[in-house]
């Protein structure tokens, strides 16, 4: 139920706007109060009259509408909701949000607010896949904007693919989840704690077009970032080029190389805890140049390597400003327990999460993980479970260690 929840619903200009009429009905059925905002393009698809009739509330349309300003200024309007929902969120509206533009009521409200924002994108598949839109999506996710959809399917324009706006009931479910997340965020045991998480592989350049990488997908790191954020932590998520998107609601810092990751970690300190889930390359090519290495008759290139900084060891061994809890991972293929226990001592971290990444386990790049948590008290093996479940269990152990909360 959404009893006494205040939703500011921004309806953008797309054919999916007709579904927003049903969304209003569904929200009101659940007890939410809906304040509608219609963009100029939105009025081409639904009328202000039908929106206000369904919402049982006046529709806000114009930035310089004096009556609106005297009723309630746009700043106040943007902050008077528990959640701002943009449905449909068009490519244009997303571009405005990503660029911080404020040239109409909807974009001004979105820029002026510190209320959480959930968007339901809807657009033609080519527009969704365009690099400009993909860039904007990444920016918006980095800014902590929550997404629902789009779905794959047939579109009004006759094409097929991602771009269909989520169905009203899917949007309602996402609204409920966003509000629940907010609640745990405010009341969670990790509220007010800063946790730094590294994730994904690193890419070490050989030359401008080639690099050395590893099979890490970033799935376990992303799940840990999400689980910590769900407990209310402020998370700085430093990620190499991963396959899995970063979690919502965290500060994302994207890097490529181990050296960049180290710089980003140092810039993000201080932290109450640090979790090093990244699969950092141990070596980089010493002489990676700015010119592409060309084939030469018969002569094979020889790469020389230099050792990368050990980020985990550097942070774990800090004399001043060390995070209260430093957690490392040990990806091993042989003698997992012995190697991981030795690694904990060598690197100086408090905990090591050890896992067997031999090819037959399917863990690296897979959805499941089987870990052993090694602390000063000893080793505890957890049953094989989804990476999300491992992340939740680890996050609650971290919360317990930092705050005494279960
Ligand atoms: N790590 C790091 N910086 C590095 C290498 C590793 O921060 N340059 C961190 C990883 O994020 C992980 C832990 O150290 O938390 C262990 O990584 P792993 O690759 O298993 O250990 P290595 O130091 O590479 O040890 P070895 O090669 O002997 O297995």
């Amino acid at each position: 139920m959404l009893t006494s929840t205040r939703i500011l619903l921004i309806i953008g200009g797309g054919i999916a706007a007709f579904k927003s009429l049903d969304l209003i009905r569904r929200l009101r059925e659940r007890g939410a109060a809906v304040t509608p905002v219609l963009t100029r393009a939105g009025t081409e698809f639904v009328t202000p009259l039908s929106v206000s009739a369904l919402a049982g509330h006046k529709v806000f349309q114009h930035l310089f509408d004096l009556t609106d300003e005297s009723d309630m200024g746009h700043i106040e309007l943007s902050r008077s909701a528990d959640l701002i929902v943009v449905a449909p969120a068009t490519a244009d509206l997303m571009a405005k949000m990503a660029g911080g533009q404020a040239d109409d009521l909807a974009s001004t409200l979105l820029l002026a607010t510190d209320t959480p924002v959930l968007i339901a994108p809807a657009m033609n598949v080519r527009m969704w896949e365009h690099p400009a839109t993909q860039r904007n999506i990444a920016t918006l996710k980095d800014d902590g904007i929550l997404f629902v959809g789009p779905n794959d399917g047939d579109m009004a324009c006759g094409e097929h693919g991602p771009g269909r706006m989520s169905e009203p009931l899917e949007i309602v479910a996402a609204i409920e989840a966003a509000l629940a997340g907010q609640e745990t965020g405010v009341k969670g045991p990790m509220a007010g704690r800063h946790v730094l998480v590294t994730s994904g592989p690193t890419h070490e350049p050989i030359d401008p077009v080639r690099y050395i990488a590893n099979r890490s997908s970033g799935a376990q790191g992303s799940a840990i970032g999400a689980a910590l954020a769900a407990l209310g932590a402020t998370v700085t998520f430093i990620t190499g080029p991963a396959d899995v998107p970063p979690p919502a609601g965290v500060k994302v810092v994207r890097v490529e190389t181990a050296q960049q990751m180290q710089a980003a970690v140092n810039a993000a300190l201080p932290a109450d805890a640090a979790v090093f889930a990244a699969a950092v390359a141990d070596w980089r090519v010493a002489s990676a140049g700015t010119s592409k290495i060309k084939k030469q008759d018969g002569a094979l290139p020889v790469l020389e390597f230099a050792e990368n900084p050990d980020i985990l060891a550097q942070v774990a061994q800090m004399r001043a400003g060390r995070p209260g809890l430093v957690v490392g991972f040990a990806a091993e293929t042989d003698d997992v327990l012995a190697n991981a226990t030795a690694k904990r001592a060598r690197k100086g971290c408090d905990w090591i999460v050890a896992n067997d990444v031999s090819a037959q386990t399917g863990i690296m790049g897979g959805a499941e993980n089987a870990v052993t948590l090694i602390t000063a008290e000893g080793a505890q093996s957890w049953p094989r479970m989804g990476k999300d479940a491992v992340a939740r269990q680890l996050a609650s152990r971290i919360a317990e260690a930092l705050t005494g909360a279960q």
Side-chain angles (χ1 to χ4, degrees), residues 204-212 288 291-295:
E204 306 297 330
I206 296 172
D207 66 16
V209 294
R210 306 178 178 99
Y211 58 81
I212 293 172
S291 313
K292 185 180 169 196
I293 303 172
K294 303 294 285 177
K295 264 191 303 223

Side-chain angles (χ1 to χ4, degrees), residues 42-80:
T43 59
E44 304 285 337
F45 296 89
V46 290
T47 67
L49 190 60
S50 46
V51 172
S52 67
L54 280 164
H57 196 290
K58 168 191 172 104
V59 184
F60 293 93
Q61 286 179 266
H62 307 294
L63 186 53
F64 298 110
D65 184 326
L66 284 179
T67 327
D68 294 350
E69 285 296 320
S70 58
D71 276 357
M72 186 192 269
H74 60 268
I75 304 280
E76 204 183 326
L77 180 59
S78 74
R79 294 183 188 164
S80 61

Side-chain angles (χ1 to χ4, degrees), residues 23 80 117 119 123 128 148 170 209 211 228 272 274 358 398:
L23 174 63
S80 61
V117 177
I119 71 173
M123 68 195 72
W128 175 258
V148 50
E170 290 175 302
V209 294
Y211 58 81
L228 288 163
D272 297 291
S358 313
I398 293 172

Side-chain angles (χ1 to χ4, degrees), residues 276-278 280-282 309-312 328-332 343 346-347:
F276 292 86
V280 185
D282 289 323
D310 190 323
I311 311 166
L312 168 62
F329 273 69
E332 306 288 345
K343 200 169 274 181
R346 189 170 70 241
K347 301 212 182 200

Side-chain angles (χ1 to χ4, degrees), residues 196-201 216 218 220-222 224 274-280 327-329:
L196 184 159
V197 178
T198 70
S199 182
S216 166
Q220 187 63 80
S222 265
I224 291 168
V275 181
F276 292 86
V280 185
V327 183
F329 273 69

